[in-house]
Amino acid sequence: MFEAADYDGERFCGLVADGVVVENVRFAGCEFERSSFQDAVLRSCVFDDCSFADCNMALVTVVNSRFSAAAFTNCKLTGVNWSDADWSSMSVEEPFAFSACVLDLSVFMGL
């Protein structure tokens, strides 16, 4: 699905990546709008300064993926285990924000 290893400043609108495995891809300054990643696996990916708006990310797996300065607005994030992500380099200067999102059954243990 994602052929390149790096995406800078890209805009993805209406992307359907349900059940897809995305591995070792870096996204910087990217925008995801009205896209679906339901049941997708995001393994060892990096999302720096990315925004997600009106996206379905229900049951997505985020193993060793990093989200720095990521913003989620009006997204469905049900059942995501956020504790599987890579939080080793997370700092207060790089906020991680949810606004008007559905986070039912999401896991944040140990963060």
Side-chain angles (χ1 to χ4, degrees):
M1 163 137 299
F2 294 100
E3 301 298 322
D6 290 289
Y7 292 89
D8 291 302
E10 297 284 332
R11 184 171 182 253
F12 301 95
C13 189
L15 177 71
V16 178
D18 295 343
V20 171
V21 176
V22 182
E23 192 166 8
N24 297 314
V25 179
R26 180 186 161 272
F27 300 91
C30 292
E31 298 176 10
F32 297 87
E33 295 179 18
R34 297 184 308 281
S35 295
S36 183
F37 290 90
Q38 184 169 330
D39 289 311
V41 176
L42 305 177
R43 183 177 295 124
S44 300
C45 293
V46 175
F47 296 88
D48 286 328
D49 196 28
C50 291
S51 64
F52 298 82
D54 302 307
C55 293
N56 178 7
M57 298 180 76
L59 300 172
V60 72
T61 302
V62 294
V63 176
N64 294 322
S65 289
R66 188 177 77 222
F67 297 83
S68 299
F72 297 86
T73 305
N74 199 37
C75 293
K76 182 178 179 182
L77 298 154
T78 344
V80 178
N81 186 350
W82 293 101
S83 50
D84 285 341
D86 175 9
W87 299 106
S88 62
S89 63
M90 189 67 164
S91 71
V92 178
E93 291 81 33
E94 299 168 339
F96 184 71
F98 300 104
S99 176
C101 291
V102 178
L103 296 164
D104 296 347
L105 304 174
S106 289
V107 177
F108 294 91
M109 293 290 290
L111 300 183

